[in-house]
Amino acid sequence: MTNLDLLTVYTKLCGFKLLVRANRTGATSRFARVVHDRLIDVLDMHAKTCSRAMEYETFARMECDMVVQDGLYDLLGECLSDLECGGRGSFPWHLLDYINRDPDFGGYHHPVNGIWCWGAIPESMTVSDDDLDGLGPIIRQIAEETGFRFTVYLCSTHIGPQGASELEPEIYERPVGAGW
């Protein structure tokens, strides 16, 4: 990825961060605000990684000492790796519970039960757009324009017809398998 590509990704991430922040003002539930805040934090983190990568690349091009230059290119490589693994690669960024599907084996690992489950991730574990207060289309647009993908899965048997917005905060404020 060149400095120009990094600048493009950085600009898009910052723009989406503003869009999510503006959308958050219309969030009607604590649940939706928590998911908005997590997405803002992740977009900010990725934007900062882009910024650091651009700095390392610029400094490396200006550096005359080959040892220092190699060190700067190593740091640049680490930033690029973080960006690739942090959403642009094969793994999405989880805003709630960590559920990774494995298409090679035709299923997913259930984070609560700790067992392998065959088939697709159940629709009941996917938080609906209605509960996200407009965030769903933005998440899809981010994936389309930047390659960064996000999931909004919730392993809770407490989700009923009223949706996720009526859940107790303890259920979604400490996602399963997450470091939040």
Side-chain angles (χ1 to χ4, degrees):
M1 192 177 295
T2 67
N3 218 348
L4 186 58
D5 295 336
L6 285 167
L7 182 59
T8 301
V9 172
Y10 172 82
T11 304
K12 286 183 179 188
L13 292 172
C14 289
F16 280 121
K17 188 171 77 169
L18 290 173
L19 181 61
V20 173
R21 186 169 283 138
N23 191 72
R24 185 190 186 280
T25 61
T28 58
S29 68
R30 181 174 175 176
F31 175 81
R33 287 189 294 274
V34 165
V35 178
H36 278 76
D37 291 343
R38 289 198 182 136
L39 182 56
I40 290 167
D41 289 346
V42 173
L43 292 172
D44 187 51
M45 180 188 69
H46 288 317
K48 286 178 181 177
T49 301
C50 286
S51 179
R52 279 195 322 273
M54 288 185 286
E55 287 177 7
Y56 293 144
E57 185 174 17
T58 302
F59 292 149
R61 288 182 180 177
M62 295 186 317
E63 184 58 54
C64 296
D65 184 345
M66 295 304 286
V67 173
V68 174
Q69 187 182 49
D70 286 345
L72 289 168
Y73 277 122
D74 287 344
L75 291 171
L76 170 63
E78 288 177 19
C79 287
L80 295 177
S81 177
D82 285 349
L83 289 171
E84 291 296 323
C85 293
R88 292 192 58 155
S90 58
F91 298 107
W93 191 272
H94 304 288
L95 298 176
L96 291 173
D97 292 342
Y98 280 41
I99 303 174
N100 286 317
R101 64 179 210 88
D102 191 339
D104 293 336
F105 294 105
Y108 64 96
H109 182 79
H110 196 286
V112 176
N113 299 334
I115 60 171
W116 180 258
C117 300
W118 296 101
I121 297 170
E123 192 67 32
S124 63
M125 289 183 174
T126 303
V127 177
S128 73
D129 284 355
D130 293 339
D131 293 317
L132 295 175
D133 290 339
L135 192 59
I138 296 171
I139 289 172
R140 289 188 288 280
Q141 186 180 2
I142 292 170
E144 182 181 307
E145 292 188 25
T146 67
F148 287 95
R149 296 180 303 121
F150 301 92
T151 68
V152 190
Y153 296 125
L154 195 58
C155 298
S156 175
T157 58
H158 298 93
I159 300 176
Q162 74 279 8
S165 61
E166 299 297 321
L167 292 173
E168 289 295 319
E170 298 84 43
I171 293 172
Y172 54 82
E173 288 184 350
R174 297 201 185 271
V176 176
W180 294 103

